[in-house]
Amino acid sequence: MKSHSRHALRIALTLSVAATAGAAIAAPSCGTDPVALNAYFETGFPLPTELSTEFTRQFPNVTFEIREDQFANMMENSPRILSEDNAPDLLRLPSLTDLVANDLLLNLDTYYAELGWDQFPAGQLVQLRVEPGGRPRGTGSLYAMGLNYSMTGVFYNKALAEQIGMTEAPKTVAELDALLAKAKEAGILPIMQWNKGTGGFAFPLQNLMGAYGAPEPINDWIFQKDGATINTPENLEAAQHLESWIKEGYFPTDANAIEYFQMMSRFIGGEGLFMFNGDWESGNLDKNAAGQFGFFIMPTEEAGGRHATMSSPLTFGISAKAANADCAAFFLDWVARNEEARKINVAVGGSNPGGPADLAIPAVEPGSVTESSLAAGNMLAQDNGAMDFIANATGAIFSAGWTPELQKMVGGQQTPEGLLEAVQQEYESQLSR
Amino acid sequence: MTEPQTTVPAATRQIQRLPRNRGSRNSKLTAWLFIAPAFLAYATFVLVPLGMSFYYSFLRWDGIGKATFHGMTNYITVLTDADLLQIIGNAFQLVAYFTLIPVGLGLAIASAIRGQMAGTFGTVTRTIFFLPQVIPLVAAGIAWSWMFASTGVVNQGLKAIGLSSWTRGWLGDFVWALPAVGVIGAWVLLGLCIMLLVTGIAKIDPSLYEAARLDGARPWHEFRYVTLPGLRQEIGVCVTLTIIAALASFDIVYIATQGGPGITTTVPGLEIYRLAFAHRQVGLASALAIVLMVLVLVSIAPVQWLTRDKK
């Protein structure tokens, strides 16, 4: 009896170890049982929904329960959404640091190892890494993944460009200035830009920052590294240049009253030669205004210089309370690797789908805006000039710093020096809380 | 003989008192039972949140993590921070638009249409003037944002009458954004004031107007010496409601300008929301909310005193 018991125990232990080992080596997946992924997406961006539809087509046991919200609302509500009992499995993340500091996001290091995300270029994931306690960013554990990797640059209206004799993208800031002056002289609005609600002038400003200085110190500031400042001589030059554009009348006089969607509508309607915006609009422009618009990366100060601009992932994370974390992680991996998903990502998202370096970017329509923006992305990658968005430095720096100060600058109420000083002061005040 | 005479009335008094006391207790209980549901709702949705806000106002808390006691620091910040003081000042500037225009214009219109409120004209007039009150403030904000846009009807109208140089993006202009928001608020509140004042005028004894006319009073004199004194309480209600609407405004500002450009149209209601949810400074947001409540009470107390019934 004793021997029999010992034998039974040995079998049980063997099975248990085997089961444990099997669980350890099995990559996370959605399994075969029905799964309803609780997802929280951003209103106005069809890409995540289209990807989820394709995912359900390929994995019929997985359905998505999608809620949508405006980006600004998500910035404000994400902590509460993540702290709910039925927190989303998958959600669009406006910022990471506060969420990590409050243990609301799932640490993805395990998935990084199990799903082979080490095959992704390290630079793709750097913005998604956070040290314990929420700062600094850029190093530490992985807390999110990108659905794609977008960048900001300059869209242009081909018909208006032809009208002023623009035959190719400008290669220096001086060439861009000359084109702006020509447009103004020809009675064409040089730059269509929004600045109501959220400061859209942050896009041209950060592009100019990239033209005048290296991206690393700006990233250090965004990642909240000790002693980092946005108030540098290079950034001051950029802010002064932006102010000169404002004073020259290159932007709409009512820019402070223009919302993002109004800007898009007016630009598509033919108002404005240039527009500083992200390549997430490439797919939209190709679909709704095929052949009418182009895209180029912000030129450098000197010809042949290093290109740098805002480029960041379309960030998605998994709640620390997620009921289907494995399936959500599998979805994020699938988006980057699956051929059909990558095609959707480029066609709808208009941006680089990221993923392992050896995977080719899906082919796009020759002459399309998406083709131009992907080419610009290659140029940025070669120069290693990606910066996170200056509005992502803290959870509130956009609403309390950049937006009001840029609006003041447009209204002639703020100087370039004052702009950078005020934003730096607000940044330090927020970090000290 | 005397003894029974004294005891009987005493007993009778006692017998008579008993049912009256029981009835009084019953009616009090009934009253409390009627009040209880409303009181419970009021306590749950007003008194408890008010108490919690007061408690939070002494904390340093991001709304999720650990809270620490912060003493009076949040109140000192509210009363010394230049931006917050400007924001409180913006709300008092809005009082000028939200209160003076609807009450002043409301009085003029109500007096002008006095006596003509019966029949179809009265119905149509009431409907037109009251319409802004039934439109959600968010919808009003959106509609006016379109009208104030650079291509909107306001600028088109200015161009049509040869005032092209006056056109601008009103809600994005540092000088005109706050007045533009004020116009939206005035439009929303005008109908309410007119309706209250018209109702008030209807209650004034017509013989007073008749007597005034017999004494040779002109329309202005009728307004000054009959209408205005007769509307004291209605004016008090209008001023109180509109002051509260101005100081506690949120919807219209959030939709029309989101507080910009800069902070020229940011009002305490919007800032409380931003501090709590965007900046995650729940303690400071609560302190500003408490200060705003005190400011509202202090602002409407004199109005209540001046317009109270002095019979």
Side-chain angles (χ1 to χ4, degrees), chain B:
Chain B
M1 279 297 281
T2 51
E3 205 176 336
Q5 276 176 342
T6 51
T7 49
V8 171
T12 312
R13 276 203 302 275
Q14 201 175 6
I15 289 162
Q16 283 171 342
R17 205 180 295 130
L18 270 172
R20 205 184 300 140
N21 279 349
R22 195 175 296 139
S24 172
R25 271 201 301 273
N26 281 343
S27 66
K28 271 185 186 170
L29 186 68
T30 311
W32 275 110
L33 281 172
F34 273 110
I35 292 167
F39 180 77
L40 199 68
Y42 185 74
T44 308
F45 296 109
V46 179
L47 298 181
V48 172
L50 180 63
M52 286 167 72
S53 295
F54 190 66
Y55 169 65
Y56 292 157
S57 69
F58 297 101
L59 301 179
R60 179 178 176 165
W61 186 39
D62 67 0
I64 301 152
K66 199 180 165 193
T68 52
F69 185 68
H70 212 33
M72 294 297 290
T73 311
N74 290 326
Y75 285 98
I76 292 167
T77 305
V78 169
L79 299 173
T80 55
D81 183 272
D83 282 355
L84 291 176
L85 290 175
Q86 186 189 332
I87 286 165
I88 292 170
N90 289 344
F92 279 97
Q93 280 190 57
L94 277 187
V95 171
Y97 298 97
F98 279 46
T99 302
L100 294 183
I101 295 175
V103 177
L105 206 55
L107 274 170
I109 294 171
S111 301
I113 61 177
R114 174 171 62 86
Q116 296 166 42
M117 292 308 286
T120 312
F121 175 79
T123 310
V124 171
T125 309
R126 269 196 300 271
T127 308
I128 290 171
F129 282 131
F130 202 68
L131 204 60
Q133 274 299 304
V134 295
I135 293 173
L137 290 179
V138 171
I142 292 170
W144 276 94
S145 296
W146 291 342
M147 288 195 274
F148 278 131
S150 56
T151 51
V153 70
V154 173
N155 284 331
Q156 284 177 22
L158 287 169
K159 276 181 192 165
I161 57 171
L163 293 173
S164 296
S165 61
W166 280 64
T167 58
R168 65 200 67 225
W170 296 89
L171 294 170
D173 189 285
F174 272 84
V175 175
W176 291 101
L178 193 65
V181 169
V183 166
I184 303 173
W187 177 81
V188 169
L189 293 164
L190 178 63
L192 174 72
C193 290
I194 290 173
M195 296 313 295
L196 282 170
L197 297 170
V198 162
T199 312
I201 287 174
K203 286 193 297 183
I204 298 173
D205 188 347
S207 63
L208 291 174
Y209 287 105
E210 204 178 322
R213 271 196 296 274
L214 287 172
D215 287 344
R218 293 182 173 182
W220 163 249
H221 294 124
E222 285 183 32
F223 175 76
R224 169 71 184 82
Y225 296 106
V226 181
T227 307
L228 218 47
L231 287 178
R232 173 195 289 270
Q233 285 179 307
E234 283 76 9
I235 292 171
V237 172
C238 286
V239 172
T240 303
L241 289 176
T242 52
I243 285 178
I244 293 171
L247 294 181
S249 56
F250 175 85
D251 323 48
I252 292 172
V253 177
Y254 185 75
I255 295 298
T257 63
Q258 292 176 36
I263 55 168
T264 50
T265 62
T266 306
V267 287
L270 182 62
E271 190 63 7
I272 289 164
Y273 165 73
R274 276 194 186 153
L275 285 171
F277 297 103
H279 303 188
R280 289 165 202 158
Q281 290 180 273
V282 176
L284 185 58
S286 301
L288 181 57
I290 297 293
V291 168
L292 176 63
M293 186 190 72
V294 171
L295 287 173
V296 169
L297 291 174
V298 167
S299 302
I300 61 170
V303 177
Q304 294 293 305
W305 184 80
L306 283 169
T307 59
R308 75 187 193 283
D309 194 356
K310 292 179 178 166
K311 268 186 240 175

Side-chain angles (χ1 to χ4, degrees), chain A residues 324-341:
Chain A
N324 303 294
D326 280 2
C327 187
F330 179 70
F331 172 78
L332 292 173
D333 184 68
W334 171 87
V335 166
R337 293 180 198 270
N338 182 265
E339 196 182 335
E340 204 53 42

